[in-house]
């Protein structure tokens, strides 16, 4: 996601000074640090990678951010005003359990802001082409909307970000190829080839409409809070 898209989604989720935010699968917390610095909030970032959390803590400096190392699910207990899940929904095969945990962590009227790659599950042939296919669990839009509804989360915003997502994927492909020698020296030639292959597949599928990239804000209903 571009920084402008991250800030737009955060703003539309109601992130502002005094708002408590839980960022799931935050990685090195690039979006979280941007949101905290630009919009102000009380921020908790959670990721399973100790290395990523160490980098996030170092980069946070004096920002009011906390970080925890944890596997998701379970979702940390709240209540939080906003839960973020950016660029990671496809890694969860069991989205029902994830959404139930997120709803449970939100305060009444709290918002869940997330992105997802929408489309039918990968075929066996597609799984053979996709590196790390065991982390790619696509979901058709009707299934996601139904799962959100069952968790007591009402969609307030749904936008198609496919065009911009493909532009970012293409820009990354060019950047990886331009610095191929240096990247391969750090992570190995095979890892670089898999990185390029995955991004080329995403670009192809976004171009052909095989998948769509969507952004959402869903609100926890009063009924779900009772």
């Amino acid at each position: 996601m571009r920084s402008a898209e991250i800030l737009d989604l955060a703003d539309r989720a109601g992130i502002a000074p005094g708002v408590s935010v839980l960022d799931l699968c935050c990685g090195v917390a690039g979006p979280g640090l941007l949101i905290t610095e630009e919009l102000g909030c009380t921020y908790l970032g959670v990721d399973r990678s100790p290395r990523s959390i160490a980098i996030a803590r170092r980069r946070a400096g004096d920002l009011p951010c906390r970080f925890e190392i944890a596997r998701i699910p379970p979702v940390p207990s709240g209540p939080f005003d906003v839960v973020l899940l950016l660029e990671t929904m496809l890694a969860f095969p069991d989205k029902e359990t994830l959404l139930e945990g997120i709803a449970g962590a939100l305060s009444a009227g709290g918002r869940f802001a997330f992105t997802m790659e929408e489309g039918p599950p990968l075929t066996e042939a597609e799984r053979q082409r996709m590196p790390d296919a065991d982390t790619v669990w696509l979901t058709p839009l009707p299934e996601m909307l139904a799962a959100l509804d069952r968790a007591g989360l009402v969609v307030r915003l749904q936008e198609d970000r496919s065009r911009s997502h493909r532009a970012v994927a293409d820009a990354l492909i060019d950047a990886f190829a331009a610095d191929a020698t240096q990247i391969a020296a750090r992570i190995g030639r095979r890892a670089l080839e898999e990185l390029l292959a995955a991004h080329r597949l995403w670009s192809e599928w976004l171009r052909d409409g095989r998948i769509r990239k969507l952004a959402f804000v869903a609100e926890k209903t009063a009924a779900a809070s009772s």
Side-chain angles (χ1 to χ4, degrees):
M1 298 176 69
R2 293 187 171 96
S3 59
E5 291 178 304
I6 294 168
L7 291 174
D8 176 68
L9 186 61
D11 180 65
R12 294 165 85 172
I15 296 179
V19 171
S20 59
V21 175
L22 171 64
D23 187 5
L24 300 175
C25 306
C26 68
V28 298
L33 300 181
L34 174 68
I35 289 167
T36 304
E37 184 172 20
E38 294 293 327
L39 301 180
C41 61
T42 302
Y43 176 90
L44 171 62
V46 179
D47 197 273
R48 63 181 290 185
S49 168
R51 184 173 182 274
S52 293
I53 291 297
I55 294 172
R57 284 175 174 148
R58 185 168 66 249
R59 289 181 173 177
D62 295 330
L63 290 173
C65 298
R66 297 184 296 118
F67 299 96
E68 294 180 4
I69 301 167
R71 180 185 292 270
I72 305 297
V75 175
S77 59
F80 297 94
D81 299 315
V82 177
V83 174
L84 299 176
L85 183 68
L86 304 179
E87 312 292 84
T88 322
M89 182 64 80
L90 82 168
F92 292 91
D94 179 6
K95 294 176 173 56
E96 294 275 356
T97 299
L98 174 67
L99 293 175
E100 289 172 4
I102 289 168
L106 283 169
S107 58
R111 285 81 60 199
F112 173 38
F114 68 101
T115 59
M116 67 169 284
E117 288 79 6
E118 184 272 334
L122 297 184
T123 65
E124 187 55 38
E126 289 171 334
R127 298 189 73 81
Q128 293 297 321
R129 295 179 64 197
M130 173 60 73
D132 293 327
D134 59 341
T135 64
V136 179
W137 304 99
L138 297 173
T139 305
L141 179 59
E143 289 186 16
M144 175 56 68
L145 294 177
L148 288 165
D149 183 66
R150 286 191 292 272
L153 298 167
V154 177
V155 173
R156 302 302 188 195
L157 170 73
Q158 176 187 316
E159 290 186 347
D160 192 317
R161 303 283 180 86
S162 300
R163 180 176 296 181
S164 62
H165 190 66
R166 186 182 174 220
V168 170
D170 289 342
L172 287 170
I173 291 167
D174 292 342
F176 295 150
D179 292 333
T181 301
Q182 296 92 324
I183 295 173
R186 294 287 298 273
I187 67 174
R189 174 59 60 178
R190 180 175 178 179
L192 172 61
E193 290 174 352
E194 290 181 347
L195 193 64
L196 285 165
H199 281 75
R200 286 168 179 152
L201 277 175
W202 289 125
S203 178
E204 173 190 328
W205 291 345
L206 286 161
R207 180 194 66 218
D208 297 342
R210 166 64 179 86
I211 61 169
R212 292 187 299 159
K213 185 61 175 281
L214 304 178
F216 293 87
V217 175
E219 182 178 341
K220 182 175 179 177
T221 63
S225 302
S226 60

